[in-house]
Amino acid sequence: YAISSSFDLTLKYWRVSDGTCIRTFYGHTKLVDEVAFSPIGQTGFKDNKSASYIPAPSLSISPNPFSDRLAITVPSSGAIYSLTGQLVMNLTKGKHSLDTSKWREGIYIVKAGKETKKIIKIN
């Protein structure tokens, strides 16, 4: 999914796989320059007179496609595991900027509290 903002003061929510605009938000009084996605499988919208937004996830992962940096925000202590279950790294509550340059290509699992997400590392 993707969100786009336009100078016509609309916000559009897209399904990238087939290019479908799922929803258009109107009524903004200025250009929207920040949005947040909810966890996979949960899509929520809240509308009010000045803004429309998608709630931010409590466990968020932001890979940088141009480097080996990975930004993770963890709501409580957690850990990163290889797909085989081997512990890669423990995480404390808060924001982390991780260097994944020494990680092997493959799938990693991030667990924090009751949340689980996947990271796919491609060399």
Side-chain angles (χ1 to χ4, degrees):
Y1 295 95
I3 301 250
S4 66
S5 178
S6 175
F7 286 110
D8 68 0
L9 303 180
T10 61
L11 192 66
K12 294 187 183 235
Y13 180 51
W14 301 89
R15 183 172 45 242
V16 177
S17 62
D18 63 6
T20 301
C21 179
I22 298 169
R23 185 164 178 188
T24 301
F25 296 91
Y26 301 94
H28 296 91
T29 57
K30 61 182 182 175
L31 189 66
V32 175
D33 59 6
E34 292 183 8
V35 294
F37 283 92
S38 70
I40 294 172
Q42 300 175 16
T43 305
F45 299 92
K46 181 175 180 180
D47 298 318
N48 60 37
K49 292 180 183 176
S50 63
S52 301
Y53 67 91
I54 300 171
S58 51
L59 169 59
S60 67
I61 301 171
S62 302
N64 182 338
F66 304 107
S67 77
D68 287 317
R69 303 302 299 180
L70 183 69
I72 297 179
T73 301
V74 184
S76 60
S77 61
I80 300 173
Y81 299 92
S82 69
L83 195 56
T84 60
Q86 181 181 3
L87 177 67
V88 174
M89 175 183 299
N90 284 311
L91 298 170
T92 57
K93 179 181 178 178
K95 294 181 180 183
H96 302 272
S97 177
L98 307 177
D99 178 3
T100 63
S101 61
K102 294 187 171 107
W103 292 15
R104 296 177 60 191
E105 184 173 295
I107 298 173
Y108 295 83
I109 307 297
V110 180
K111 292 185 177 187
K114 294 181 180 180
E115 295 185 71
T116 301
K117 290 193 177 185
K118 283 193 278 187
I119 302 170
I120 299 174
K121 170 70 174 170
I122 301 171
N123 291 333

